[in-house]
Amino acid sequence: MREEIARRTVDELVTLYELEPEVRDIFVEGRSDRNFLRFHLGAEFESSLCNVYAVSDRVHIPDGELISAGILVGERGRVVWLSQQLSTKLPGHSSAALVADKDFASLDADTKEEIHGLLYTDYSSIEAYALNENTLDKLLRVTFGAPEYITASVLVSAIKPALVSLFLIRLCLRESGTGASLPAKTLNKWDLDDHEQSKILEAFRLALHSIPASERNGQTLETLYARYLDYQEGLDSEFRNYINGHDISLLVVRFLKTECASVFNSEARRPLQKPEVLETVLMSCVETSNLAGERMFQMLRRWVQQGTWDS
């Protein structure tokens, strides 16, 4: 069930901002993003009328509006669409800040259009802000009591290749136009040490196998793998631009089970084997100080305090 928040049409929202210019809102894709920003921007909110909302909790945006605008249906699309509407109906407004995951934009496969009031995460997703040594050390030492030889840098080195490979596989499948997706059993059996061509091809084979041949849009293992290699050529050194946020906790669990499975022996830690549970804990380990140097958070703080994007 949705939380009891009055949902408005975009025109009602515009009217609200015109009548009450002191009101300012931040719109994000989902409730976990909302909770994350509310906490880490809490000090700035104390002296303002600003609040944070998951976009679908606050604004009614039918899928048809996104389709008509040529925007992918989903919460990211709703944030982008709302930013377009507000920038058109309220040019130069200071009423709303909108935050969307960068997703595949670093490889030019998702829009990163400059729209007034719209900010993109510094990395591919909100969850990527947890991939720093301070946060991961806190997770390993405090949450798990992991052995000292299991360090944040060791963990990142172990999971980074798999994170990037899975990101590229998902991108290739999405861009193929087949509607195929990464099978759950591929994720569940992914070996952190295996990134050979055969592993990538097997992932594509299983994905294509899940849909009828007549619906494969002419795609084959070879065409998908060629696209994979093309995207791989476009990678830069910031691997956090090339990860699916929800894969992080999945691969952290896989790494810990391989390197020090005993951390899950206690009854209190056993639930952390579920990636969705671990993800909540991991994001809770992020300190506000870890975000101080990130451009998106700097811009949001300035906007909450001053109502402007200018420095």
Side-chain angles (χ1 to χ4, degrees), residues 151-283:
T151 65
S153 60
V154 167
L155 169 59
V156 169
S157 294
I159 68 174
K160 179 166 66 173
L163 285 171
V164 175
S165 291
L166 292 171
F167 179 88
L168 294 179
I169 290 170
R170 282 191 172 90
L171 174 56
C172 292
L173 290 174
R174 195 193 74 173
E175 295 298 288
S176 70
T178 63
S181 59
L182 190 63
K185 67 178 181 179
T186 298
L187 275 176
N188 294 335
K189 295 181 179 180
W190 197 273
D191 186 344
L192 295 180
D193 296 324
D194 185 2
H195 307 288
E196 299 300 319
Q197 176 180 348
S198 59
K199 183 72 173 182
I200 310 301
L201 288 172
E202 177 65 5
F204 287 139
R205 185 189 71 77
L206 291 172
L208 287 177
H209 186 70
S210 67
I211 57 176
S214 60
E215 298 176 13
R216 294 178 188 173
N217 200 29
Q219 298 293 327
T220 64
L221 298 186
E222 291 73 24
T223 60
L224 290 173
Y225 187 65
R227 187 187 296 264
Y228 179 96
L229 294 178
D230 286 343
Y231 282 128
Q232 196 174 49
E233 287 292 316
L235 302 180
D236 61 33
S237 60
E238 181 48 83
F239 83 98
R240 287 176 291 183
N241 284 329
Y242 314 109
I243 60 173
N244 177 287
H246 300 308
D247 286 343
I248 298 171
S249 55
L250 176 84
L251 296 178
V252 169
V253 170
R254 188 75 44 79
F255 170 80
L256 292 174
K257 282 186 173 182
T258 301
E259 299 298 326
C260 51
S262 61
V263 298
F264 293 111
N265 286 348
S266 76
E267 187 174 348
R269 292 184 188 132
R270 216 161 286 140
L272 298 178
Q273 296 177 85
K274 294 183 177 181
E276 61 272 22
V277 176
L278 181 58
E279 182 175 302
T280 301
V281 175
L282 175 61
M283 297 308 289

Side-chain angles (χ1 to χ4, degrees), residues 24-271:
R24 279 182 280 157
D25 296 323
I26 298 175
F27 294 98
V28 296
E29 295 182 29
R31 291 181 181 172
S32 58
D33 298 348
R34 174 202 64 186
N35 297 341
F36 190 71
L37 290 188
R38 272 184 182 172
F39 178 81
H40 292 292
L41 295 172
E44 283 75 15
F45 289 168
E46 290 177 4
S47 58
S48 74
L49 291 176
C50 188
N51 209 338
V52 189
Y53 299 101
V55 64
S56 288
D57 281 343
R58 184 59 167 158
V59 191
H60 177 61
I61 305 173
D63 288 354
E65 296 285 3
L66 305 183
I67 295 169
S68 296
I71 296 174
L72 284 175
V73 172
E75 298 313 288
R76 183 185 193 271
R78 285 179 169 79
V79 170
V80 173
W81 183 88
L82 181 58
S83 71
Q84 292 176 342
Q85 295 298 306
L86 292 177
S87 67
T88 298
K89 297 173 185 289
L90 286 175
H93 70 85
S94 60
S95 299
L98 302 101
V99 175
D101 282 349
K102 194 189 296 184
D103 280 2
F104 299 114
S106 293
L107 289 171
D108 298 323
D110 272 319
T111 181
K112 201 184 173 190
E113 182 183 357
E114 295 293 329
I115 303 171
H116 180 77
L118 178 61
L119 296 177
Y120 297 94
T121 52
D122 294 282
Y123 312 110
S124 59
S125 68
I126 284 279
E127 291 80 12
Y129 287 110
L131 286 175
N132 60 78
E133 291 209 2
N134 181 280
T135 299
L136 294 175
D137 247 356
K138 186 176 179 181
L139 180 78
L140 292 170
R141 306 279 86 79
V142 179
T143 304
F144 284 107
E148 290 298 321
Y149 67 87
I150 302 294
T151 65
S153 60
V154 167
L155 169 59
V156 169
S157 294
I159 68 174
K160 179 166 66 173
L163 285 171
V164 175
S165 291
L166 292 171
F167 179 88
L168 294 179
I169 290 170
R170 282 191 172 90
L171 174 56
C172 292
L173 290 174
R174 195 193 74 173
E175 295 298 288
S176 70
T178 63
S181 59
L182 190 63
K185 67 178 181 179
T186 298
L187 275 176
N188 294 335
K189 295 181 179 180
W190 197 273
D191 186 344
L192 295 180
D193 296 324
D194 185 2
H195 307 288
E196 299 300 319
Q197 176 180 348
S198 59
K199 183 72 173 182
I200 310 301
L201 288 172
E202 177 65 5
F204 287 139
R205 185 189 71 77
L206 291 172
L208 287 177
H209 186 70
S210 67
I211 57 176
S214 60
E215 298 176 13
R216 294 178 188 173
N217 200 29
Q219 298 293 327
T220 64
L221 298 186
E222 291 73 24
T223 60
L224 290 173
Y225 187 65
R227 187 187 296 264
Y228 179 96
L229 294 178
D230 286 343
Y231 282 128
Q232 196 174 49
E233 287 292 316
L235 302 180
D236 61 33
S237 60
E238 181 48 83
F239 83 98
R240 287 176 291 183
N241 284 329
Y242 314 109
I243 60 173
N244 177 287
H246 300 308
D247 286 343
I248 298 171
S249 55
L250 176 84
L251 296 178
V252 169
V253 170
R254 188 75 44 79
F255 170 80
L256 292 174
K257 282 186 173 182
T258 301
E259 299 298 326
C260 51
S262 61
V263 298
F264 293 111
N265 286 348
S266 76
E267 187 174 348
R269 292 184 188 132
R270 216 161 286 140

